[in-house]
Amino acid sequence: MSLIVQKYGGTSVGSAERIRNVARRILDSHEAGDQIVAVVSAMSGVTNRLIELSEEVTGKTQNATEREMDVLLSTGEQTTIALISMAINSMGGKAVSLTGAQAGIQTDGVHTKARISNITPDEVHRLLNDGNIVILAGFQGRSPEGYITTLGRGGSDLTAIAMAAAVDAELCQIYTDVKGVYTCDPRVVKTAQKIEEISYDEMLEMASSGSKVMQSRSVEFAKKFGVRFEVRSSLNQQPGTLVLEETMSMESVVIRGISLERDQAKITIEGVRDQPGTAAKVFTSIAGANIIVDMIVQNVSKTGTTDISFTVGQADLANAEKTLNAVLPDIGEDVSLVSQEGIAKLSVVGIGMRSHSGVASQMFDTLSKAGINIQMISTSEIKITVTVGNDEIDDAARAVHSAFGLDDESAD
Ligand code: ASP
Ligand code: MG
C-alpha cells in the first residue's frame, strides 16, 4: 500500500459531472489499494468570480483588505472539497474533507500570498489510518494568529507538493487538462510530443520562459524537498510527464523542450555613461515600478558611453518608458531611449547542453536557414534564448524543434 497525493485543478472539477468523474477516479485509486490524499482547486471560474464580487461591493475605489480576500477566496476550494467528498460517499466510498487549517498547514501571516512555514499532518494520518480518503482544500492555510491565509494564484499545486513532502508520499500526481509537459506548444508545433521525464531545473526553465503548466513556486518547492511528481490528464488513464531529480541518462538528450513567449518588447538606452552605478540606476528605477525585466545586454564602450538593451513584457512597456525617462538625465549627457514592440522569445532548454557542444551554433544556423533574424541572445547553463519577431516565432519554433530531433515521427 502506498500513499499518493493527487491534485485536481479547477477545470477538472469544473461542473457537477466533472466532480463525479474526479470522485470516481479517486475512489478507483483507493480501491486499487493505495491511501489517497486528494487536493482540489476551486471549480474553474469561481476564484475569478469571487474577485469580481469583491470589486463590486467595494466599488473598486477602496480595495478589500487582504485578510478578507483570503476569507472570501478560500471558500472556492471549500465548496469543492465538500462536493467531492459527498460524491465519493454517495458512490459507497469513505471520504472526509479538510480545510488547509484542519490539515495542519501553517503559513506566515502575509495574506493573499502566504508562504507555508510548517505542516503538522497528524489529522491527515489519523483519517487515512482509519481507512478514509482525505479530500484537502488547496491554496490555503492558517496564519500564526489562526486566520485563514491563501498561497497566491495557482497555489493548489503548492498545497499538493508540500503535503506530499510532509506525509512522505510515494508520488504526487498533478491532474490537469493537458496530457503532460510537451516538447513545445502543440498548438504551434503539431509534431510536439509529450516528455516522459524532465528534471526540476528543466521544468523551472521551461516555466520561466513561457510553458506554464505549473506554478513555478511549486516546482521550486518540489526540487528543494525532492518530491517527484507527475503532470497528467484527468480525462484519460495515460501516464503523463514525470518531474524529478536529474539522472545520468537525462544528459544524453541535448534539448528537452522549446518554450515560447510572445508579446515582449525591447528597450535600448543609447549613450549611457560607462561608469559604476549607471546600470544600477536604470534597473533600480525599473524594479521600483514593479516591472520584470529579462535578457539584459550591455555593449562594450568605445567612447566612454555604451548601450544597454533589455526586454520587458509588452504590457509593461509604456510604464517602463515613463519610469526611464525620469532617470535619463542622471545617466549620461546625450542619452536616448529606443523601444520596439512585437517581439517574441524562443528558448531551447536541456541539461544535456552542459555536456554537448555546438548547441548554440546549430540553433543559430537553423534560424538563419529559415531566414529568421535573431535580435538578442542570452544563455544560462541549460538554456539558450533568442528574440525574434512575433510574426516569425511559429516558423522559428517548428524549424528548431525539427533540427533538434524533437519531432514525433508518427504525427503529421
Ligand atoms: N483557486 C485558486 C486560483 O484559481 C488556486 C488554484 O486553482 O490553484 O488561483
Ligand atoms: Mg488553477
Side-chain angles (χ1 to χ4, degrees):
M1 185 173 60
S2 319
L3 202 175
I4 296 175
V5 174
Q6 302 185 332
K7 183 254 170 179
Y8 295 91
T11 322
S12 304
V13 296
S15 65
E17 193 199 331
R18 289 185 173 195
I19 285 187
R20 286 186 63 81
N21 171 45
V22 164
R24 171 50 56 207
R25 296 182 69 108
I26 296 172
L27 195 51
D28 287 347
S29 308
H30 188 248
E31 281 169 358
D34 293 321
Q35 289 189 319
I36 307 291
V37 176
V39 175
V40 292
S41 289
M43 295 168 72
S44 58
V46 166
T47 308
N48 288 342
R49 179 68 193 129
L50 291 170
I51 294 172
E52 278 164 27
L53 272 172
S54 79
E55 290 171 354
E56 281 169 32
V57 300
T58 56
K60 273 194 191 176
T61 44
Q62 193 202 337
N63 288 330
T65 66
E66 291 181 330
R67 182 191 182 282
E68 301 313 328
M69 277 314 279
D70 279 352
V71 175
L72 179 68
L73 296 188
S74 62
T75 62
E77 273 68 16
Q78 211 169 307
T79 305
T80 320
I81 55 171
L83 292 172
I84 301 259
S85 302
M86 286 174 194
I88 292 178
N89 293 338
S90 77
M91 293 169 185
K94 211 170 120 191
V96 178
S97 63
L98 289 181
T99 65
Q102 290 167 345
I105 301 179
Q106 192 75 52
T107 69
D108 59 20
V110 186
H111 287 288
T112 76
K113 38 184 174 303
R115 290 189 165 266
I116 295 178
S117 48
N118 191 27
I119 299 184
T120 328
D122 298 356
E123 183 62 6
V124 174
H125 282 304
R126 195 187 64 74
L127 288 167
L128 289 174
N129 292 336
D130 274 354
N132 295 287
I133 296 170
V134 173
I135 309 297
L136 170 59
F139 170 63
Q140 53 174 267
R142 174 186 187 278
S143 73
E145 295 90 348
Y147 296 151
I148 299 172
T149 49
T150 65
L151 309 175
R153 297 306 304 270
S156 298
D157 288 340
L158 185 61
T159 304
I161 299 280
M163 188 49 84
V167 298
D168 198 16
E170 192 79 16
L171 182 67
C172 181
Q173 299 175 317
I174 308 285
Y175 285 95
T176 171
D177 51 0
V178 295
K179 293 185 190 130
V181 184
Y182 276 76
T183 49
C184 195
D185 183 344
R187 286 166 303 184
V188 176
V189 179
K190 296 273 174 297
T191 49
Q193 38 188 331
K194 188 174 70 192
I195 299 171
E196 270 167 42
E197 286 188 351
I198 184 169
S199 71
Y200 296 123
D201 288 331
E202 289 169 329
M203 182 79 175
L204 282 167
E205 289 283 24
M206 294 281 283
S208 73
S209 40
S211 308
K212 289 205 178 52
V213 185
M214 253 181 102
Q215 193 206 35
S216 292
R217 225 170 117 189
S218 317
V219 184
E220 272 158 22
F221 196 102
K223 179 183 173 189
K224 191 160 161 203
F225 294 96
V227 179
R228 46 161 70 199
F229 63 92
E230 185 190 12
V231 179
R232 57 187 284 172
S233 167
S234 61
L235 303 169
N236 61 38
Q237 304 292 344
Q238 304 299 312
T241 301
L242 206 53
V243 188
L244 69 178
E245 199 60 64
E246 64 183 79
T247 58
M248 289 267 263
S249 65
M250 278 184 169
E251 285 216 12
S252 61
V253 176
V254 186
I255 298 302
R256 186 80 48 203
I258 298 174
S259 148
L260 313 175
E261 210 169 357
R262 292 164 210 275
D263 300 326
Q264 304 292 303
K266 177 169 80 173
I267 299 178
T268 303
I269 315 173
E270 293 173 343
V272 303
R273 231 180 267 125
D274 189 23
Q275 68 180 42
T278 317
K281 276 192 193 116
V282 169
F283 293 105
T284 305
S285 75
I286 292 280
N290 279 319
I291 296 167
I292 297 178
V293 300
D294 193 24
M295 295 189 76
I296 303 170
V297 178
Q298 179 178 301
N299 238 322
V300 288
S301 74
K302 286 193 211 92
T303 52
T305 63
T306 182
D307 301 343
I308 299 179
S309 297
F310 54 92
T311 60
V312 296
Q314 198 159 288
D316 285 329
L317 180 61
N319 193 7
E321 286 173 331
K322 201 177 98 201
T323 310
L324 287 169
N325 276 323
V327 294
L328 289 188
D330 287 349
I331 55 175
E333 277 66 53
D334 193 19
V335 266
S336 56
L337 202 66
V338 185
S339 46
Q340 187 191 349
E341 289 186 282
I343 66 172
K345 288 192 289 192
L346 180 147
S347 309
V348 296
V349 175
I351 53 174
M353 255 180 236
R354 293 189 201 126
S355 49
H356 290 81
S357 57
V359 180
S361 62
Q362 190 179 354
M363 179 178 184
F364 303 157
D365 188 48
T366 304
L367 291 170
S368 109
K369 288 197 175 114
I372 294 164
N373 184 39
I374 301 170
Q375 304 178 1
M376 291 168 92
I377 301 171
S378 80
T379 60
S380 82
E381 205 192 7
I382 64 165
K383 178 167 90 169
I384 303 173
T385 306
V386 298
T387 64
V388 301
N390 256 341
D391 53 347
E392 294 169 316
I393 185 81
D394 290 3
D395 287 339
R398 287 188 279 262
V400 173
H401 194 268
S402 147
F404 283 103
L406 295 174
D407 288 348
D408 178 357
E409 301 298 345
S410 63
D412 43 44

